């Protein structure tokens, strides 16, 4: 058999002293390159048999592929054949039969990402394919052991087999990297499309289009939550001191939510388990620092638009930057008053005007009135909280009655005083009045104001 002038000389019995093995290009060099070409040419006519063996091996070692879903056997066969064909051509330095050497790997990554096959499973399939391909090459080498092929190297030489095995795995590794890169890029693209769709459907719910069953069903699928469950809508002001998105604080406590910026605020839908409403308010107040209004609970995604409006109304009752969170149902009086500022101002003027004009007594009288009403108009219980005698409480309530010209014994008068106390922080009062409101503290008749009231 003719010998290639550049062929490697046969080994002698003496020790070899070749030094470090030279780096090789992906198509090899010298005898290695010729042998790689010869192996590729030898295996290409049996590409269908090679593909069958690879598919059988993958099915035997992967439950995902063996199940036939989402990857059918025909799909796997087609992809494997294309990858093996390109890998053999690349391995042997042969011209590509179409699409570029790495096209099949990129297509595999794209398709498997779209099918939702885990990347580790796909990489394992590549390793199984490389193993079977090398097995067939090794079988060919051993079948021709001791002969010289047309290009000169001794087939079946142990060092040659090691070189060929390394070259096969270099090829498989490179194709695996190309496939994995394509897989991840496709995932990012899919995530971007999914996020865009999720946001659009969430906005549709907030705009009130959830009454269309198709919209509600699509939103349910995109958000990954049931059409029917326990939900609230939260509208949070984008306070400079608060995190831009409350979701992480809720996630840490196992509460699912989805948020989007909307008209200078964050609007979120929160899925609640029984008894989690109070937990949600506590997290919003103490973990996010955001000023937020919370809608009443609703049980259908279609009701999200109405819930948004109620959450916005609850937010309007809170001082900007207060970091307070309030449920709509806990702020009904304030919601009514903030929606009619002229009525709120009139209630304050007609029910507490005389007290507000008594500058020297105002803070003490308003604070006493708030606690007295909060304690069911019990002078004894109010005195305990104020650290004074019950007669002192009675004297102050009497003074309020005198300044307002109204009887403290009248239920209607007491209601008017309570509404006026609620309306006072909503009026955009001056700093002096806000400071007086600061003594009201927390309770049904006074909510936190700018000075901590």
């Amino acid at each position: 058999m003719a010998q290639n002038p550049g062929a490697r000389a046969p080994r002698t019995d003496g020790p070899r002293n070749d030094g470090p093995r030279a780096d090789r290009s992906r198509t090899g060099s010298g005898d290695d390159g010729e042998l790689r070409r010869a192996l590729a040419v030898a295996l290409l006519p049996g590409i269908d048999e090679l593909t069958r063996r690879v598919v059988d091996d993958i099915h035997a070692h992967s439950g995902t592929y063996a199940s036939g879903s989402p990857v059918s056997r025909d799909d796997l066969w087609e992809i494997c054949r294309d990858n093996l064909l390109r890998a053999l051509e690349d391995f042997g330095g042969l011209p590509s039969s179409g699409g570029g050497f790495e096209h099949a790997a990129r297509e595999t990554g794209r398709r498997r990402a779209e099918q939702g096959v885990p990347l580790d499973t796909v990489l394992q399939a590549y390793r199984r394919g490389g193993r079977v391909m090398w097995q067939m090459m090794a079988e060919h080498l051993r079948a021709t052991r001791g002969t010289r092929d047309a290009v000169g190297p001794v087939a079946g030489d142990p060092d040659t087999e090691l070189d060929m095995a390394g070259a096969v795995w270099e090829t498989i590794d490179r194709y695996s990297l190309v496939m994995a890169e394509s897989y991840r890029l496709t995932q990012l693209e899919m995530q971007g499309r999914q996020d865009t769709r999720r946001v659009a459907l969430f906005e549709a719910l907030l705009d009130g289009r959830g009454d269309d069953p198709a919209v509600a069903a699509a939103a349910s699928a995109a958000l990954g939550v049931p059409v029917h469950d326990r939900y609230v809508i939260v509208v949070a002001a984008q306070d400079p001191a608060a995190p831009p998105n409350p979701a992480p604080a809720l996630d840490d406590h196992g509460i699912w939510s989805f948020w989007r910026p909307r008209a200078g605020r964050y609007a979120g839908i929160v899925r609640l388990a029984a008894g989690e409403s109070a937990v949600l308010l506590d997290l919003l107040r103490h973990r996010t620092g955001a000023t937020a209004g919370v809608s009443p609970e609703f049980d259908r995604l279609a009701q999200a638009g109405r819930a948004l409006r109620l959450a916005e109304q609850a937010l309007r009752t809170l001082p900007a930057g207060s970091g307070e969170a309030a449920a709509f149902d806990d702020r009904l009086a304030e919601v009514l008053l903030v929606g009619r500022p002229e009525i709120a101002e009139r209630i304050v003027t007609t029910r507490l005007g005389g007290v507000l004009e008594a500058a020297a007594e105002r803070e003490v009288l308003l604070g006493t009135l708030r606690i007295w009403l909060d304690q069911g108009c019990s002078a004894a219980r109010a005195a305990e909280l104020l650290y004074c005698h019950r007669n002192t409480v009675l004297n102050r309530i009497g003074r309020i009655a005198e300044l307002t010209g109204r009887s403290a014994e009248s239920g209607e008068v007491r209601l008017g005083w309570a509404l006026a106390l609620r309306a006072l922080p909503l009026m955009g009062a001056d700093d002096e009045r806000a400071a007086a409101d600061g003594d009201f503290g927390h309770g049904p008749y006074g909510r936190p104001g700018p000075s901590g009231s």
Side-chain angles (χ1 to χ4, degrees):
M1 183 178 294
Q3 190 146 352
N4 189 305
R8 179 172 54 192
R11 290 182 58 187
T12 67
D13 293 336
R16 295 182 61 179
N17 186 20
D18 297 334
R21 187 172 296 165
D23 291 339
R24 293 170 170 82
S25 69
R26 77 178 194 177
T27 58
S29 61
D31 289 342
D32 282 355
E34 296 296 340
L35 182 54
R36 288 169 64 164
R37 179 183 181 87
L39 285 171
V41 169
L43 264 63
L44 280 172
I47 188 68
D48 288 345
E49 173 61 15
L50 173 59
T51 302
R52 183 194 65 76
R53 287 177 59 172
V54 169
V55 169
D56 288 346
D57 188 84
I58 291 172
H59 271 226
H61 292 88
S62 172
T64 299
Y65 283 107
S67 70
S69 177
V71 182
S72 68
R73 186 179 180 90
D74 287 345
D75 182 355
L76 180 60
W77 197 93
E78 175 190 351
I79 285 288
C80 284
R81 189 184 190 283
D82 207 13
N83 275 276
L84 291 166
L85 176 62
R86 300 290 179 268
L88 284 173
E89 291 171 344
D90 189 15
F91 175 83
L94 305 173
S96 173
S97 56
F101 288 120
E102 296 172 347
H103 172 76
R106 293 193 182 93
E107 176 63 16
T108 302
R110 181 196 65 77
R111 189 183 302 188
R112 297 298 179 251
E114 291 176 346
Q115 292 169 326
V117 181
L119 178 58
D120 285 347
T121 301
V122 188
L123 288 170
Q124 183 187 38
Y126 265 71
R127 290 192 293 272
R128 303 305 308 181
R131 179 176 176 273
V132 173
M133 187 169 77
W134 167 242
Q135 284 177 340
M136 291 193 69
M137 287 183 177
E139 290 169 5
H140 178 77
L141 287 170
R142 289 161 190 160
T144 57
R145 186 184 298 276
T147 66
R148 292 180 181 274
D149 62 16
V151 295
V154 177
D157 183 296
D159 284 348
T160 299
E161 289 192 14
L162 286 175
D163 287 345
M164 292 302 99
V168 168
W169 289 111
E170 285 175 5
T171 301
I172 297 302
D173 286 347
R174 188 175 69 256
Y175 274 59
S176 296
L177 289 173
V178 172
M179 182 279 297
E181 179 184 20
S182 176
Y183 185 103
R184 294 187 181 101
L185 287 174
T186 301
Q187 273 194 325
L188 289 174
E189 292 170 0
M190 290 171 58
Q191 185 65 49
R193 293 194 297 269
Q194 185 179 17
D195 287 346
T196 299
R197 177 174 171 78
R198 187 181 294 119
V199 168
L201 287 166
F202 180 54
E203 290 288 344
L205 291 179
L206 296 183
D207 289 340
R209 287 181 277 156
D211 288 332
D212 182 340
V215 172
S220 169
L223 295 172
V225 293
V227 172
H228 296 274
D229 210 332
R230 298 165 60 97
Y231 298 104
V232 294
I233 294 293
V234 180
V235 177
Q238 293 184 348
D239 298 333
N245 188 337
L250 304 187
D251 288 343
D252 289 344
H253 287 74
I255 298 178
W256 177 91
S257 63
F258 182 79
W259 299 80
R260 288 296 302 169
R262 184 180 173 92
R265 299 170 178 169
Y266 262 92
I269 182 169
V270 182
R271 185 183 181 189
L272 296 175
E276 281 188 336
S277 294
V279 176
L280 172 63
L281 286 170
D282 185 68
L283 289 173
L284 289 172
R285 289 168 181 152
H286 301 115
R287 291 294 304 278
T288 73
T291 307
V294 182
S295 77
E297 290 186 15
F298 57 96
D299 60 8
R300 291 186 298 114
L301 289 179
Q303 298 170 316
R306 174 178 177 274
L308 172 70
R309 294 190 294 273
L310 299 183
E312 288 174 334
Q313 291 176 29
L315 177 61
R316 289 177 60 200
T317 70
L318 300 173
S322 66
E324 173 68 359
F328 178 87
D329 288 346
D330 294 335
R331 303 284 284 177
L332 293 176
E334 289 88 346
V335 167
L336 291 172
L337 293 166
V338 79
R340 300 295 298 273
E342 70 284 358
I343 294 178
E345 183 177 1
R346 191 63 184 165
I347 288 174
V348 170
T349 301
T350 59
R351 297 301 186 268
L352 288 178
V355 176
L356 297 176
E357 292 171 0
E361 304 172 87
R362 181 173 61 193
E363 293 184 13
V364 170
L365 293 179
L366 289 176
T368 300
L369 178 60
R370 199 272 312 164
I371 292 177
W372 180 69
L373 290 169
D374 193 26
Q375 296 303 312
C377 302
S378 168
R381 291 197 297 271
E384 292 177 3
L385 294 175
L386 291 168
Y387 301 102
C388 65
H389 195 276
R390 67 181 297 275
N391 287 340
T392 301
V393 173
L394 293 174
N395 290 336
R396 291 175 183 174
I397 298 301
R399 177 61 174 157
I400 292 170
E402 177 186 346
L403 290 171
T404 60
R406 300 177 185 277
S407 171
E409 300 302 317
S410 168
E412 183 177 350
V413 169
R414 294 176 181 179
L415 174 61
W417 286 345
L419 288 173
L421 288 174
R422 288 176 178 258
L424 192 56
L426 307 176
M427 292 175 53
D430 57 28
D431 292 341
E432 189 176 11
R433 182 173 297 176
D437 181 42
D439 288 337
F440 296 169
H442 292 266
Y445 301 99
R447 306 301 286 185
S451 61
S453 58

